[in-house]
Amino acid sequence: MALAGLENTTGTKIYVALGEPATYTAAALATLGGFEQVIGVVTFGEWGDQETDVSEPLLAEGRVIHTTGTADGGTVAISIQTRDTDAGSDIIKAAGGTNEAVTIMKVYASGDGEVATGVFMSARFRDASGNSVRGYSTSAMLNTGVTELSAADVTTALA
């Protein structure tokens, strides 16, 4: 079937925990303890390393040679609604602008996931308009690569 393996991102959940694991294995992630779901997530931007293009022309060949340089996880834009009870959002707000490491786990409806660690910028509160919901935007600045997790690994990490 042409659509085999296609997974919609509706139903994706975002979890956060303070600190950085020793490794990105399920067992090491579980030692962080305290992964909390960010209930009010509206959007979660793309993430993953992007390497710098290191290039230098060879004079004799008239050809530029490219190599991959320093990897950068970049920044992930996240938009969050304000909810009365949202422990994950509370972690993000408290860590925002402090350089405190936060581990972020994105879990798809299938149970598979991705995880990385970074620091959060301070919250920027949404504008007020006729058709908007109270909330804020922030960015996670990644300091690690993104590691893919199986559904079994996610279950272990969140236990």
Side-chain angles (χ1 to χ4, degrees):
M1 172 185 248
L3 298 179
L6 184 66
E7 184 174 1
N8 190 310
T9 59
T10 301
T12 298
K13 296 177 182 175
I14 306 300
Y15 295 85
V16 293
L18 291 175
E20 181 176 3
T23 65
Y24 288 87
T25 63
L29 288 164
T31 65
L32 285 177
F35 269 102
E36 296 288 348
Q37 184 180 349
V38 187
I39 303 296
V41 174
V42 177
T43 60
F44 186 93
E46 65 179 4
W47 67 343
D49 279 346
Q50 191 165 30
E51 292 77 19
T52 304
D53 176 14
V54 178
S55 62
E56 186 170 58
L58 290 172
L59 183 60
E61 294 181 15
R63 168 72 51 195
V64 174
I65 302 298
H66 296 269
T67 60
T68 55
T70 306
D72 181 1
T75 59
V76 182
I78 305 169
S79 180
I80 302 169
Q81 290 178 350
T82 297
R83 299 293 183 101
D84 285 343
T85 304
D86 191 340
S89 176
D90 293 342
I91 289 170
I92 290 171
K93 282 183 177 178
T98 68
N99 289 325
E100 185 168 5
V102 177
T103 297
I104 308 155
M105 187 181 305
K106 179 168 54 168
V107 180
Y108 297 100
S110 65
D112 293 339
E114 300 156 357
V115 64
T117 302
V119 296
F120 279 92
M121 292 182 169
S122 297
R124 291 183 50 105
F125 297 95
R126 290 183 180 174
D127 64 327
S129 63
N131 292 310
S132 65
V133 174
R134 181 178 171 194
Y136 65 97
S137 298
T138 187
S139 292
M141 298 170 290
L142 299 184
N143 291 326
T144 68
V146 174
T147 300
E148 293 184 82
L149 301 171
S150 69
D153 288 342
V154 168
T155 299
T156 300
L158 294 178

